[in-house]
Amino acid sequence: MTTAAESTGTVERTDRHRRVLRRLPWWTAAIGLVGIAILWIFPFLWMLSASLKDSMEMFAGGLKLWPSTFVWENYARAWNDAHFGRYLVNTIVVTVITVFLVTIRCALAGYVLARYRFRGSKIFLGVLVATLFVPTGYTIIPIVKISMQLGLIDSLGGMILALSGGAYVSAILIYYGYFRQIPRELEEAAVVDGAGFVRTFFSVMLPLAMPVTATVAVLTFITTWNAFFLPLVFTFSRPDLRTVSVGMQAFVGETATDWSGMAAAGVISIVPVVVLFIFLQRYFVEGISGAVKS
């Protein structure tokens, strides 16, 4: 006969098995996500590993991540010989100013489109959306021609104006979606207090849109940091004004390519983007979710 203790043990094992079976789909999803994360991050880990190898080990080692010998000279060669220190400073200056100009301009445009109704506003919004399908390369020729006529070629100022003068429709639409869901009572209260358009925008509306601003700042930062065609055109005769994306060409010679040095330069160029995203990731997610919910 089955004793009470044995019955209790059988019941406990059955309950434990049921709990495991109920949690099995979550564990399966977690394992799948971990596998996807490893596949996604592996190229970055391989680039970091390649930046610490010599050229022979880089090709002979295959997918091995741990270098046999750490070659720190690759970073010194990229920083000093390839002038990546100067390129990094140029990129930071261009990117920071461009992010500031684009954020303010897109915030104003999104605010006006979301809060004001004027004749042709829907047509204007439709034209903005349609420009999303225009390839970026089609706009380079007119931008360069106008910059040459204004004498802005071969200058960081001209590069900044060219990079910040784009439509940035996605940023405008993100602000547009966010500002539409803000109650109008906030603006009315500001008007009652005697605030005009500028004060209402900068003192009330823009501070409320900080998550969206962080999102737009991150997206613009990444786009500007990785821009290649415009910085290449604007620095043809001024190599000292190159950005990190254009400076990668310094590792490509006529007969050979310094792959390990290029990997080290790639690590140097990607670190600021990763650091910025780590600090702003919470605001980035909040901004995207807020704009989508509207």
Side-chain angles (χ1 to χ4, degrees):
M1 296 180 64
T2 305
T3 63
E6 291 176 349
S7 300
T8 303
T10 302
V11 172
E12 290 179 354
R13 285 195 297 271
T14 303
D15 292 340
R16 191 182 305 113
H17 292 160
R18 288 176 179 175
R19 287 196 299 268
V20 171
L21 290 176
R22 283 198 300 267
R23 296 177 181 178
L24 184 59
W26 294 100
W27 285 106
T28 304
I31 293 173
L33 291 175
V34 169
I36 294 174
I38 292 174
L39 291 176
W40 183 81
I41 202 174
F42 183 81
F44 300 98
L45 295 177
W46 188 88
M47 183 175 68
L48 178 62
S49 173
S51 67
L52 296 171
K53 299 176 181 178
D54 56 32
S55 299
M56 293 297 297
E57 184 183 2
M58 182 176 176
F59 289 101
L63 299 179
K64 185 181 69 172
L65 294 180
W66 193 261
S68 301
T69 304
F70 288 87
V71 185
W72 298 102
E73 291 79 7
N74 294 333
Y75 285 91
R77 189 166 66 255
W79 188 264
N80 298 318
D81 298 345
H83 308 293
F84 240 71
R86 182 190 306 165
Y87 299 158
L88 190 63
V89 173
N90 294 338
T91 308
I92 292 175
V93 171
V94 171
T95 303
V96 170
I97 299 177
T98 300
V99 168
F100 175 77
L101 295 176
V102 169
T103 301
I104 296 298
R105 182 171 60 83
C106 292
L108 283 168
Y111 173 66
V112 171
L113 288 173
R115 311 302 283 187
Y116 293 89
R117 288 294 175 264
F118 53 89
R119 183 175 298 178
S121 60
K122 292 184 178 180
I123 297 176
F124 182 76
L125 186 61
V127 172
L128 280 179
V129 175
T131 58
L132 288 171
F133 302 96
V134 178
T136 306
Y138 287 3
T139 62
I140 290 180
I141 295 177
I143 290 175
V144 173
K145 186 175 181 179
I146 294 173
S147 300
M148 291 179 63
Q149 293 176 348
L150 296 176
L152 297 175
I153 293 291
D154 298 331
S155 67
L156 289 181
M159 190 189 308
I160 291 170
L161 289 177
L163 290 171
S164 62
Y168 289 93
V169 179
S170 57
I172 295 176
L173 294 178
I174 291 175
Y175 273 113
Y176 171 81
Y178 191 85
F179 282 130
R180 282 192 64 184
Q181 65 182 346
I182 296 179
R184 290 191 175 274
E185 287 76 11
L186 295 174
E187 291 171 292
E188 295 172 356
V191 172
V192 171
D193 291 339
F197 173 85
V198 176
R199 184 179 173 187
T200 300
F201 175 75
F202 285 101
S203 300
V204 179
M205 305 304 289
L206 190 59
L208 291 174
M210 285 307 296
V212 175
T213 301
T215 301
V216 172
V218 170
L219 294 176
T220 307
F221 186 95
I222 295 174
T223 301
T224 308
W225 190 273
N226 295 325
F228 178 78
F229 288 112
L230 280 176
L232 176 65
V233 173
F234 275 79
T235 58
F236 264 135
S237 57
R238 291 286 303 276
D240 57 305
L241 298 180
R242 290 175 176 172
T243 58
V244 290
S245 58
V246 181
M248 290 287 184
Q249 298 297 315
F251 298 95
V252 181
E254 294 183 1
T255 59
T257 300
D258 185 2
W259 294 108
S260 55
M262 183 180 291
V267 173
I268 294 173
S269 65
I270 204 174
V271 166
V273 180
V274 174
V275 172
L276 179 70
F277 187 80
I278 289 175
F279 281 103
L280 298 180
Q281 61 178 334
R282 180 169 65 91
Y283 300 102
F284 180 83
V285 175
E286 290 179 0
I288 289 293
S289 61
V292 170
K293 277 193 269 186
S294 64

